[in-house]
Amino acid sequence: MWHEAIGGRGSNDIASCLYQKILNLPNNITHVITYSDTCGGQNRNINMSAMLSLVTANSSTLQIIDQQFLLPGHIHLECDVVHAKIERAKKYSDIPIIIPRDWYQFVRTVKGKKPFKVIEMKQEQIFSF
Protein backbone atom coordinates (compact mmCIF):
# COMPACT_ATOMS: atom_id res chain seq x y z
CA MET A 1 0.00 0.00 0.00
CA TRP A 2 1.02 3.58 -0.51
CA HIS A 3 -0.62 6.96 -0.31
CA GLU A 4 -1.05 9.56 -3.04
CA ALA A 5 2.08 11.50 -2.05
CA ILE A 6 4.14 8.36 -2.81
CA GLY A 7 2.54 7.22 -6.07
CA GLY A 8 -0.62 6.81 -8.09
CA ARG A 9 -2.46 3.86 -9.64
CA GLY A 10 -0.67 3.76 -12.95
CA SER A 11 1.41 1.15 -14.68
CA ASN A 12 4.72 2.12 -13.08
CA ASP A 13 3.19 2.01 -9.60
CA ILE A 14 1.70 -1.45 -10.14
CA ALA A 15 4.89 -2.71 -11.82
CA SER A 16 6.92 -1.38 -8.88
CA CYS A 17 4.81 -3.42 -6.43
CA LEU A 18 5.21 -6.58 -8.46
CA TYR A 19 8.92 -5.81 -8.84
CA GLN A 20 9.33 -5.69 -5.04
CA LYS A 21 7.43 -8.96 -4.67
CA ILE A 22 9.54 -10.74 -7.29
CA LEU A 23 12.79 -9.41 -5.82
CA ASN A 24 11.83 -10.91 -2.45
CA LEU A 25 11.05 -14.40 -3.75
CA PRO A 26 13.22 -17.26 -2.50
CA ASN A 27 16.36 -17.90 -4.58
CA ASN A 28 15.21 -21.36 -5.64
CA ILE A 29 12.26 -19.98 -7.67
CA THR A 30 12.97 -20.32 -11.40
CA HIS A 31 9.50 -19.81 -12.89
CA VAL A 32 6.84 -17.23 -12.00
CA ILE A 33 3.31 -17.03 -13.40
CA THR A 34 1.29 -13.83 -13.02
CA TYR A 35 -2.43 -13.51 -13.69
CA SER A 36 -3.81 -10.15 -14.76
CA ASP A 37 -6.94 -8.59 -16.10
CA THR A 38 -6.63 -6.77 -19.40
CA CYS A 39 -6.34 -3.29 -17.89
CA GLY A 40 -3.89 -1.50 -20.15
CA GLY A 41 -3.44 1.33 -17.68
CA GLN A 42 -2.12 -0.93 -14.95
CA ASN A 43 -0.71 -4.22 -16.17
CA ARG A 44 -0.99 -4.77 -19.91
CA ASN A 45 1.53 -2.21 -21.12
CA ILE A 46 5.15 -1.47 -21.96
CA ASN A 47 6.09 -0.52 -18.37
CA MET A 48 5.06 -3.91 -16.98
CA SER A 49 6.82 -5.68 -19.85
CA ALA A 50 9.99 -3.64 -19.28
CA MET A 51 9.96 -4.49 -15.56
CA LEU A 52 9.49 -8.21 -16.22
CA SER A 53 12.32 -8.15 -18.77
CA LEU A 54 14.56 -6.30 -16.32
CA VAL A 55 13.90 -8.85 -13.60
CA THR A 56 14.69 -11.86 -15.77
CA ALA A 57 17.78 -10.21 -17.25
CA ASN A 58 19.22 -9.37 -13.82
CA SER A 59 18.27 -12.56 -11.98
CA SER A 60 20.70 -15.41 -11.71
CA THR A 61 17.96 -17.93 -10.85
CA LEU A 62 14.64 -16.67 -12.26
CA GLN A 63 14.46 -17.92 -15.83
CA ILE A 64 10.82 -17.58 -16.91
CA ILE A 65 7.98 -15.18 -16.13
CA ASP A 66 4.64 -16.05 -17.73
CA GLN A 67 2.17 -13.19 -17.79
CA GLN A 68 -1.30 -14.65 -18.23
CA PHE A 69 -4.26 -12.43 -19.15
CA LEU A 70 -7.80 -13.44 -18.28
CA LEU A 71 -10.57 -12.91 -20.82
CA PRO A 72 -12.64 -9.73 -20.39
CA GLY A 73 -15.97 -10.60 -18.78
CA HIS A 74 -14.54 -13.84 -17.36
CA ILE A 75 -12.35 -12.30 -14.72
CA HIS A 76 -12.25 -13.29 -11.07
CA LEU A 77 -9.00 -12.32 -9.43
CA GLU A 78 -8.29 -12.78 -5.73
CA CYS A 79 -7.37 -9.10 -5.45
CA ASP A 80 -10.96 -8.18 -6.36
CA VAL A 81 -12.20 -10.29 -3.44
CA VAL A 82 -9.67 -8.60 -1.15
CA HIS A 83 -10.81 -5.13 -2.21
CA ALA A 84 -14.45 -6.09 -1.64
CA LYS A 85 -13.67 -7.41 1.86
CA ILE A 86 -11.87 -4.19 2.77
CA GLU A 87 -14.72 -2.01 1.45
CA ARG A 88 -17.33 -4.12 3.26
CA ALA A 89 -15.36 -4.01 6.53
CA LYS A 90 -15.00 -0.22 6.30
CA LYS A 91 -18.74 0.17 5.65
CA TYR A 92 -19.53 -1.51 8.98
CA SER A 93 -16.65 -0.02 10.96
CA ASP A 94 -16.57 3.03 13.20
CA ILE A 95 -12.77 3.21 13.11
CA PRO A 96 -11.80 6.71 11.97
CA ILE A 97 -9.44 7.02 9.02
CA ILE A 98 -7.56 10.29 9.41
CA ILE A 99 -4.14 9.70 7.89
CA PRO A 100 -2.83 7.13 5.39
CA ARG A 101 -1.27 5.00 8.14
CA ASP A 102 -4.81 4.51 9.54
CA TRP A 103 -5.72 2.69 6.30
CA TYR A 104 -2.66 0.43 6.65
CA GLN A 105 -3.67 -0.47 10.20
CA PHE A 106 -7.33 -0.92 9.27
CA VAL A 107 -6.52 -3.33 6.43
CA ARG A 108 -4.39 -5.40 8.81
CA THR A 109 -7.50 -5.91 10.99
CA VAL A 110 -9.84 -7.07 8.19
CA LYS A 111 -10.79 -10.70 8.70
CA GLY A 112 -10.25 -13.26 5.99
CA LYS A 113 -8.94 -16.79 5.64
CA LYS A 114 -5.64 -15.38 6.82
CA PRO A 115 -4.72 -11.84 7.86
CA PHE A 116 -3.75 -9.43 5.11
CA LYS A 117 -0.07 -8.66 4.99
CA VAL A 118 0.34 -4.94 4.39
CA ILE A 119 3.62 -3.84 2.85
CA GLU A 120 4.05 -0.09 3.00
CA MET A 121 5.71 1.07 -0.21
CA LYS A 122 8.28 3.82 0.10
CA GLN A 123 9.03 6.55 -2.42
CA GLU A 124 12.35 4.94 -3.36
CA GLN A 125 10.52 1.71 -4.27
CA ILE A 126 8.40 3.36 -6.98
CA PHE A 127 10.22 3.25 -10.31
CA SER A 128 9.71 4.47 -13.84
CA PHE A 129 10.25 1.44 -16.03
Side-chain angles (χ1 to χ4, degrees):
M1 291 181 77
W2 63 92
H3 56 82
E4 61 271 8
I6 302 285
R9 295 180 294 174
S11 60
N12 279 309
D13 306 297
I14 303 305
S16 294
C17 287
L18 186 55
Y19 182 67
Q20 293 302 318
K21 180 68 176 175
I22 293 172
L23 289 181
N24 289 301
L25 290 173
N27 289 335
N28 63 336
I29 302 294
T30 60
H31 186 178
V32 169
I33 302 172
T34 67
Y35 293 93
S36 304
D37 60 18
T38 55
C39 178
Q42 291 184 336
N43 50 43
R44 191 173 189 159
N45 55 64
I46 190 74
N47 295 323
M48 185 65 75
S49 296
M51 182 279 293
L52 296 172
S53 294
L54 177 72
V55 169
T56 54
N58 291 335
S59 176
S60 60
T61 57
L62 186 59
Q63 299 170 4
I64 300 169
I65 298 178
D66 286 325
Q67 189 179 21
Q68 303 287 323
F69 294 100
L70 302 176
L71 295 173
H74 300 277
I75 295 173
H76 177 76
L77 293 172
E78 185 64 25
C79 64
D80 296 329
V81 174
V82 169
H83 292 144
K85 282 183 184 179
I86 294 167
E87 288 176 19
R88 192 175 316 109
K90 181 58 182 131
K91 181 177 178 180
Y92 297 107
S93 171
D94 292 334
I95 297 173
I97 305 291
I98 309 297
I99 60 174
R101 186 169 301 271
D102 294 342
W103 273 114
Y104 306 155
Q105 290 304 107
F106 178 77
V107 170
R108 287 181 177 105
T109 68
V110 175
K111 304 290 186 225
K113 290 180 184 174
K114 48 187 182 174
F116 296 131
K117 181 179 179 181
V118 175
I119 299 169
E120 297 179 38
M121 294 290 286
K122 296 174 180 46
Q123 183 71 54
E124 60 270 12
Q125 292 175 307
I126 305 290
F127 300 103
S128 176
F129 293 101

